Amino acid sequence: MKRGKTVVVIGAQWGDEGKGKIVDVLSENFSVVARYAGGHNAGHTVIIKGKKFVLQLVPCGVLRKGCRAVIGNGVVLDPLAFLKEVNMLREAGVQVDRNLFVSNRAHVILPYHRMIEMGAENAPGRVKIGTTSRGIGPAYEDKMGRRGLRVADLLDSRLLKTTIENACREKNMIAHALFNSEPLDSDSMYQEYAQAAKEIAPFVADTALLINKAIAAGEPVMFEGAQGTMLDIDHGTYPFVTSSSATSGGAVTGTGVAPNAITSVIGVTKAYCTRVGGGPFPTESHDAVADQLRARGNEYGAVTGRPRRCGWIDLPLLRYAQMINGVNWWVVTKLDVLDELDEIPVAVGYKVNGKKTAGLPALATGYEQVECTYEKMPGWKKSTAGITTFDKLPQKAQEYLRFIEKESGARIGMVSTGPDREQTIFLPEFEAELSSLNNGGKTARAK
């Protein structure tokens, strides 16, 4: 039997590109959807026939009947946040039992991780990264420091008790000395998380084995990224980044599949650009148009509610994302947000000290010297909301998209013209490739 084909879906900017909707729309073509990085600091909003789902840990594939959803080993799991999300899905009538799997090798977030992060983020003199203070970074620190607790360990009550006692002793001393934080009680923490472990146990599996078996059996698999390329711990605007590998390479280490198992990479980009929190943003706009983009695009964090910084699409950044991730196809989201603009600036190049540069600065401070070169595209001044055929888009909207395609190094396969599943354009070449990934079966074109 032929090996199943696989696709990685990544964010090409600073996250919030609309990956949740895209993964949901595409998931009809896949037997397994696996999340490979991040924690419950990621928020994926999916709207199905007007009903809104905000998923933070559970992969969007869970919303498709017959699609198995996997939380891979590269994710850091907050047990209480996970159970809260599972209960929300159950109440909404979503099938999660025997359909959702958690890696036994994923690391666990505990209350002391949140305590340390909140203290560090609010410490005097600290450069604020703009974290969600949900313990993600400190959990990854413990993972790399080889003192973390994994899901498999969570299920071992004796090991759980010892780990919590030792960690609380150490973390309470650190937090009190550095941040004057109140100590956490290890006994009550153990009781709460021992109970959570019992509820999580039915979901736990060797997910690397599950995914590799599915691929070997010829089943198509999709890997779902969190955050975006420019928040990647290695390749993003460090230190204003997340703590995990948000790029396509993270799909390999974060789920346990081989590099040669990846068939294709899909990059998701907005038709403009946004960023949450601190850090460089070369195309950021500070005028009334930014407020207009924020209002029309509902640019507020799905998890935090924080207003997003808004600006223009950045082609040097997209070219970098294409190179780092090996993007084969772009999905352009929120095209309809630009409908009312007279003209749309597009950053086509960078200059540093007056000289053109092809690369991106390694230092976050290096972006202070970056000057963007813009090309202004004419607006189309017509509604694109809900259009599902490329040829029915206004001519100037088509030209805008083709310009992005020409300058960014990959083809456009999909365009999102609204938040619902049905408000999606599939281009024929992309639809044909989807069909081939699914061995000639149905594709995700909305009916």
Side-chain angles (χ1 to χ4, degrees):
M1 182 178 285
K2 289 183 180 179
R3 284 171 60 84
K5 296 182 180 179
T6 63
V7 165
V8 183
V9 178
I10 58 96
Q13 299 165 318
W14 281 283
D16 308 310
E17 299 95 347
K19 296 182 296 299
K21 172 192 166 172
I22 302 310
V23 171
D24 172 64
V25 169
L26 294 176
S27 62
E28 187 176 4
N29 301 280
F30 294 89
S31 300
V32 178
V33 175
R35 167 91 176 272
Y36 63 81
H40 65 309
N41 56 338
H44 287 175
T45 302
V46 179
I47 298 176
I48 304 169
K49 295 182 179 177
K51 189 171 184 178
K52 183 177 179 180
F53 295 86
V54 178
L55 302 176
Q56 296 176 20
L57 275 167
V58 178
C60 300
V62 77
L63 301 174
R64 288 283 187 186
K65 188 176 180 180
C67 182
R68 284 164 287 166
V70 171
I71 295 175
N73 58 275
V75 176
V76 285
L77 185 97
D78 183 316
L80 302 186
F82 171 76
L83 291 172
K84 181 180 178 182
E85 197 165 325
V86 164
N87 289 333
M88 177 271 291
L89 289 166
R90 280 180 176 145
E91 289 172 7
V94 176
Q95 174 65 39
V96 289
D97 301 291
R98 298 178 301 281
N99 198 42
L100 172 61
F101 303 88
V102 175
S103 171
N104 54 10
R105 291 174 170 83
H107 278 249
V108 174
I109 298 173
L110 289 160
Y112 48 77
H113 293 127
R114 291 192 293 275
M115 175 180 71
I116 292 291
E117 185 167 35
M118 289 176 70
E121 184 74 355
N122 295 311
R126 165 77 182 244
V127 176
K128 289 189 179 295
I129 304 298
T131 74
T132 57
S133 296
R134 299 193 172 203
I136 309 298
Y140 277 114
E141 286 181 46
D142 278 358
K143 174 180 178 176
M144 292 305 178
R146 294 163 294 179
R147 55 182 176 269
L149 184 84
R150 301 183 303 168
V151 168
D153 307 324
L154 182 72
L155 304 185
D156 183 324
S157 59
R158 186 181 301 175
L159 183 56
L160 174 63
K161 194 173 196 307
T162 302
T163 301
I164 286 178
E165 287 174 351
N166 292 339
C168 280
R169 191 179 304 115
E170 175 189 326
K171 309 291 186 186
N172 281 338
M173 289 176 63
I174 293 171
H176 180 73
L178 295 179
F179 317 123
N180 200 30
S181 300
E182 291 296 318
L184 296 170
D185 179 59
S186 61
D187 289 335
S188 61
M189 189 187 303
Y190 166 71
Q191 296 298 331
E192 184 174 30
Y193 283 82
Q195 178 58 40
K198 293 177 183 177
E199 296 178 51
I200 289 171
F203 297 99
V204 178
D206 183 340
T207 55
L209 183 61
L210 184 157
I211 293 169
N212 279 288
K213 276 187 172 181
I215 294 170
E219 297 182 66
V221 175
M222 178 162 51
F223 300 98
E224 175 183 354
Q227 287 88 34
T229 297
M230 300 310 295
L231 292 177
D232 184 270
I233 186 66
D234 288 298
H235 304 292
T237 48
Y238 191 91
F240 299 95
V241 292
T242 192
S243 302
S244 59
S245 297
T247 45
S248 59
V252 172
T253 55
T255 62
V257 299
N260 61 1
I262 305 300
T263 306
S264 185
V265 179
I266 297 171
V268 185
T269 172
K270 281 177 181 164
Y272 49 102
C273 205
T274 64
R275 177 165 196 165
V276 170
F281 187 174
T283 65
E284 183 174 10
S285 176
H286 299 280
D287 58 16
V289 179
D291 296 331
Q292 183 181 350
L293 292 175
R294 189 176 300 110
R296 282 184 56 80
N298 190 30
E299 296 297 353
Y300 298 90
V303 172
T304 63
R306 289 183 293 182
R308 297 174 185 143
R309 299 154 65 190
C310 295
W312 307 112
I313 198 162
D314 187 329
L315 293 180
L317 186 149
L318 281 189
R319 287 191 285 266
Y320 177 78
Q322 191 280 327
M323 176 183 72
I324 292 296
N325 293 291
V327 173
N328 304 99
W329 294 98
W330 294 122
V331 175
V332 180
T333 62
K334 295 198 170 185
L335 181 69
D336 54 303
V337 173
L338 304 180
D339 286 350
E340 295 180 357
L341 299 180
D342 293 316
E343 61 179 18
I344 306 163
V346 176
V348 295
Y350 286 171
K351 287 182 180 179
V352 176
N353 298 323
K355 295 181 179 179
K356 290 182 180 180
T357 178
L360 272 62
L363 295 173
T365 53
Y367 283 87
E368 295 170 9
Q369 280 76 52
V370 167
E371 177 188 351
C372 292
T373 302
Y374 288 97
E375 184 163 328
K376 291 187 177 179
M377 304 286 289
W380 42 91
K381 302 290 288 182
K382 295 178 183 177
S383 176
T384 61
I387 291 176
T388 58
T389 305
F390 189 84
D391 291 343
K392 291 184 180 179
L393 289 172
Q395 186 62 36
K396 288 184 171 62
Q398 294 183 37
E399 291 170 3
Y400 180 75
L401 292 168
R402 290 305 186 194
F403 182 77
I404 292 170
E405 182 177 64
K406 177 175 174 288
E407 296 291 329
S408 62
R411 291 174 292 171
I412 291 176
M414 289 173 64
V415 181
S416 175
T417 56
D420 212 286
R421 275 179 178 172
E422 288 77 15
Q423 295 171 310
T424 309
I425 297 169
F426 289 81
L427 278 77
E429 300 90 344
F430 181 72
E431 199 163 28
E433 183 161 316
L434 275 181
S435 180
S436 72
L437 289 173
N438 200 24
N439 298 318
K442 63 182 177 179
T443 63
R445 174 174 289 279
K447 302 299 187 290

